[in-house]
């Protein structure tokens, strides 16, 4: 089990770097939401900024990382606009309506989120 310090530093840096890469030209700060005991059971808030440093709250995301059985899963959801779909990423991406949980089509701006989820999952799953 990871220490809270690992969750608060290394994971946040890893997520910020991945978000910066996948959601160019945005820059990201990553904050821990609540308390977490490990890197595979936590919730993070990704705060977006334009390249000039101006905050862009409409681009903020919430990332939940959790284990289900032996598999690592991620959900990514926009913080603004509760009517926006969310992305569940396990072995493959699934877009869902936020209120009902029903499957839906990927939104027009969803490709960078899928890239981010794939990258994070690949970085967080240890190679045997």
């Amino acid at each position: 089990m990871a220490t809270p310090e690992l969750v608060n530093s290394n994971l946040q840096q890893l997520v910020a770097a991945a978000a910066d890469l996948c959601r160019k030209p945005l820059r990201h700060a990553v904050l821990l939401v609540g308390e977490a005991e490990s890197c595979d059971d936590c919730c993070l808030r990704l705060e977006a900024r334009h390249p000039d440093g101006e905050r862009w709250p409409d681009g903020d995301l919430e990332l939940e990382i959790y284990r289900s059985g032996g598999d690592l899963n991620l959900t990514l959801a926009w913080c603004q606009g509760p009517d926006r779909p969310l992305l569940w990423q396990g072995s493959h991406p699934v877009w869902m309506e936020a209120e009902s949980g029903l499957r839906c089509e990927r939104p027009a701006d969803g490709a960078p989120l899928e890239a981010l989820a794939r990258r994070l999952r690949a970085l967080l799953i240890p190679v045997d």
Side-chain angles (χ1 to χ4, degrees):
M1 179 184 300
T3 64
E5 292 78 25
L6 178 62
V7 173
N8 290 336
S9 61
N10 295 345
L11 179 62
Q12 288 169 278
Q13 292 171 0
L14 179 82
V15 170
D20 289 351
L21 179 66
C22 294
R23 298 182 74 204
K24 284 182 181 179
L26 298 175
R27 303 286 298 167
H28 298 83
V30 177
L31 308 171
L32 184 64
V33 177
E35 294 186 25
E37 291 294 319
S38 69
C39 293
D40 61 1
D41 185 18
C42 66
C43 187
L44 302 169
R45 181 180 178 97
L46 286 68
E47 293 188 344
R49 291 188 180 278
H50 290 289
D52 64 3
E54 182 182 344
R55 276 280 290 123
W56 186 49
D58 287 346
D60 290 357
L61 300 172
E62 183 172 280
L63 168 66
E64 184 179 358
I65 303 169
Y66 62 94
R67 286 217 176 265
S68 179
D71 205 14
L72 185 70
N73 298 287
L74 309 171
T75 57
L76 274 169
W78 281 275
C79 295
Q80 302 291 324
D83 57 330
R84 307 239 13 221
L86 62 91
L87 171 65
W88 173 85
Q89 177 75 48
S91 56
H92 60 280
V94 176
W95 285 95
M96 299 180 291
E97 294 176 355
E99 269 194 35
S100 68
L102 296 174
R103 285 183 90 147
C104 64
E105 294 295 316
R106 178 176 76 189
D109 57 354
L113 271 64
E114 286 185 15
L116 175 58
R118 280 191 310 272
R119 178 173 292 278
L120 289 173
R121 197 162 182 273
L123 290 170
L124 295 172
I125 295 176
V127 178
D128 293 330

